[in-house]
Structures are given as structure tokens and as C-alpha cells.
Amino acid sequence: MSRPIHSAPLRRVTAAACAALLFVALAPGTATAADPTPSPSATAPSATAPSATADTGLAGLDPRITEIMRKPDYRNAQWGLLQTDPESGRVVHSLFPEQFFIPGSTAKLISVSGPWHTLGADHRFVTPLYAVGARDGATLTGDLDLVAQGDLTMGGRTRPDGTVAYTDLDHTYANDFPGATLTPENPLAGIDRIARQVRDSGITRVDGDVIVDSRLFVPDPELVPTPTPLIINDNLIDLMTTPGDRPGADARLDWRPKVAPYEVTSAVKTVAAGKPTAITVTATDGGTRIRLTGTIAADSAPLLRTSPIGDPAAFGRVALIEALERAGVHVTADPSGPNPVGRLPRDYAGRPRVAAYTSPPYAQYAKLILKVSHNLGANLGICLLAVTAKSDQCPAGFPVLAGFLDEAGVDREQAQLMDGRGGNPADRATPQVLVQMLAYWQRTPDARLFREALPILGVDGLLAENCRSCPARGKVFAKTGAAVGGDALNDRLAVGAITIAGYLDKGGGRFDTFYAGVNGASTPGADPTEVLAIANDLAMIAAYLQESSSP
């Protein structure tokens, strides 16, 4: 298959939009109602065989929805729609329910469900630190080995009450979307806790090394972003630039987590209010030398950018050595040296465990992944499933996921997945399979927990700013998705998909499952903000489905 070629001006846009996420703000209220008559072509039946979810076309839909679908902007696009009452099994609305659509991040409904079921909502990751060597009083002659367990945050987002913090637009999207913010928690919190436990165990000197054992699984570059067994701060360096006191002054820079040998410098200048803010981040020496250049307007809010951590295991090793020093434990090894994996023992039988960090329950991590569309966490779930199958190869997680779907009564042949995030070009899903996945959770004790882990319209996550004053606010629980690329031929954006799927609170304890999506749309021009109009339409369709009475 040939690879699409995009013109240079569209490359950055494509990279951002293919993040399988759109953060949109809708005007308060709902759109003006209209009463169009659906054309015969709009209600043409699917070519698939009849099923319990055969097409009902546009008949009975809220006219505000049909008005959206019949916009000239969508004349070459394909709509899919499915709404069901999971208790009775009744199909409320259905349009091409068994046709493959590009899912975008609605694929996370499947990829997060697998680890949630397999590990359990209450599963906690325990990351141990072993003393490998001989101990004489307060001195360990040997190594401290940190055995990574695939903990997504290592305490870096954990609040005092044990829940996992997130912002509505996560720092992992800072390079793609304006407005990303940081949680206040210390990204090195788990590492610091382990270091204090070592000191509390009575060790104050290590005549040896600190090693990160990352043998849990092999990072798979086919999963982008690529999960690693040890993850600190999502494997990112956060870079926050604030305007100086006046135009011409140096901008102020803060960054985290501050771990050697990472060095960050800035040549960003403050420009007059209203002038362009444009900051470029470059990294050299394996990502350890980071430099910011460009301008920031005097009236600009602080601007967040990130730079990837090139070697998460080596980064974790240095972070732990520095944390041990802060805790009063001296390590004789050179902190700037490599992670000496050749010194690792075959196993840790008989080795004393001197420290461990225990994570929040997996349901909290699932909530983070779903609320902010956390791509690294979604891909990590595939690797964690492989580990449950006693494999260190991430692709071995897909058969585990397949087995779960079979057990859950979800027709997995109506899904095609090559990753967990929904960003691979091969990923596809029918409206029916996503609704089946949603309906499965309604039959489990975790029904409410799973539903409330999704973004809530007008309340939180990626739907926080949508429909804040409309009647459906707080009554739609849904995962959004997007896949957008460049159209160099027409100097516009090719919108592979904008999708939304989740639950509609219809009152009286009834939660309808639903999917709405459009594939094959395009924008008038190359401005990425034009995609927001399409995302706006999808969010409003969800709102109208919630508001409408069943036919």
C-alpha cells in the first residue's frame, strides 16, 4: 500500500489531527430546529445482511440531526448511527450499523475494556525495589534493582485521596493543541516514595549501582506512542514558557521533572501583545539537551510544550539515584552512566525487597485514559494484556483482548485493531461493535464506574466545554475520536473520521447506548480550526439524541 504524501504546510496539521482527539468548545444551548425531509439517497439501506440492528434510516430522527447530516459539507461523506435500549435490546435509531468506520479514539472503548476486565478494576501495580548484594549495617555492597511493572504514572498524578488527577486537555497533547495544562502533582512522587522507603529500611550507602529492570515487556515501535515498562511523567519533559515583564525581555521558563543529565535552555523573547506566539522545541544528544526558541506575546497565557524522554529506563535510573541522595542514601555509582542491565540477576528469589510503590486501582488509570484520550495508556493496555499471557511481546496482548470480547458477547470480527489508541491506519470498527461493547458494561457490577469514566458532556474530560448550557449537559457520557490528514491536492484537510460513542441518560435509570460518526468529510480550507465545526456537529447530534423522545 502506498503511503500518502502531504505537502509541507499540512504536515504539522496532520500530525496534530491524527492524535485521534479533538478538544472543542460549543456555544451554549442547542441549534435552531429545522424540519427537513430526508432524501431517498440519505436513507438508502446498507448492503449488509439483515440483523437485529438493520437500518432504520433517518426516519424518526430529531429533525435537528437530519439537518446536520444533510449539510452540503457532507455530500461526499458517510454517516453511521446506532442507538439502542440495552435493557430491552430495542433499536431506537440505526444507520449503516454493520459498516466499517474509522473509529479514532472511540477504539479505546475496546482497548481499555480488555485490561479493565482482565486485570480487574481494583488491580494495583506494585513496583518493587530489591537489594541485590551483601548488606553490612547501613551499607549495601551491591545494587538496588527497580523492577518496572507497567505502572502508567508511578505516582506522578496521584492525589492525596488516591485518585488520579487529569486536566481536560492533557499535557500529552501540548505540542498539538493550545490550552494544555499540567496537574499540580509531583511527577517524581513515586520515585521519591521508594527512595524514602530505602532510607527507612536502614540503608544509607550503596557501594554499587541502581538499575532499572525493564524486562516486563519489549517496547513495540508499531505502537505509537510506544509504551515502556517504566513510565515517568508519560515519558515527557514539560516545558512551560511565561511572557517576560515587557516586550523585548526574555521569556521565563520552568520545566519538569528536573533530572540530570537533561538540560533545558531558552532563547524565547517576549513580543508586544497581540503579536504571534510561536515556540520551537529542539532536542539533541538523545533528547537530553533541549532548547526553546521563538516568541511569546506579552498578553499570552503560559504556554506548555513537551519534549520526549529518549531512554525512559536510563531516565528512571538517574531520577532514583537523585531521589536517594535527597533522602539521605549515597550511591557510589556515576548517575550519568548507562543503565547497566548486564548486572541484573535472572530472578529475585531470596533477594530482600527494601521498597515498593503501589499504584491507585486500574479503574483510576482507565478513567484517565478515557477522559483525556491518553494514547500512551491505551497502547500500554495491549502490552499489559500480553504480560497476563506470560509474554514479553506486546502483540501477544491482542489474542487476550480477542478472548475477552468473545466472552463478553462482542462480535470482534466487526472490529479491526492494530493498536490500543485507535490511531493506526488499519483500525476500523462498526457502530454495532462499539455499542455491543458499551452494552456489555451495563450488565456488569462496574456499569456506573465505567460510564462515569467517560467524558461527560459539559462537565469534564474532552467534553468539558461542550454544550455547557444545553439540556443534555451532564446527561451524555461518551468517548470522542478523530482521524484527520492533509489534502494537498485541494489545500484542505481530509477528515477521515469524527466519532462519538457512549451512553445517553434517558431518565428513570435508563441509559441508551449510542454511536454517531462521519467518515470521509473535508474542510473548506487547511485551517485546523475548521475541523472543530465537524466535531461540533457530532457533539450536538449526541445532545439531540439525549434530548429526543424515543419514536
Side-chain angles (χ1 to χ4, degrees), residues 158-197:
T158 305
R159 300 185 181 103
D161 65 359
T163 59
V164 171
Y166 60 89
T167 60
D168 292 329
L169 185 56
D170 192 62
H171 78 139
T172 54
Y173 287 102
N175 292 347
D176 298 330
F177 297 92
T181 54
L182 297 172
T183 61
E185 287 73 24
N186 174 12
L188 298 176
I191 295 294
D192 284 342
R193 182 174 297 185
I194 287 173
R196 290 194 296 269
Q197 290 179 29

Side-chain angles (χ1 to χ4, degrees), residues 38-48 53-59 61 65-66 69-70 77-84 91-101 430-432 515-518 541:
S39 64
S41 61
T43 59
S46 168
T48 57
T53 51
D55 285 332
T56 61
L58 303 185
L61 274 175
I65 296 176
T66 57
M69 290 182 172
R70 296 183 64 213
Q78 173 66 65
W79 284 94
L81 182 71
L82 184 59
Q83 178 186 348
T84 68
V91 174
V92 182
H93 297 294
S94 178
L95 186 66
F96 301 113
E98 294 179 308
Q99 179 170 310
F100 272 132
F101 287 84
T430 68
Q432 182 169 275
Y515 166 95
V518 62
I541 286 174

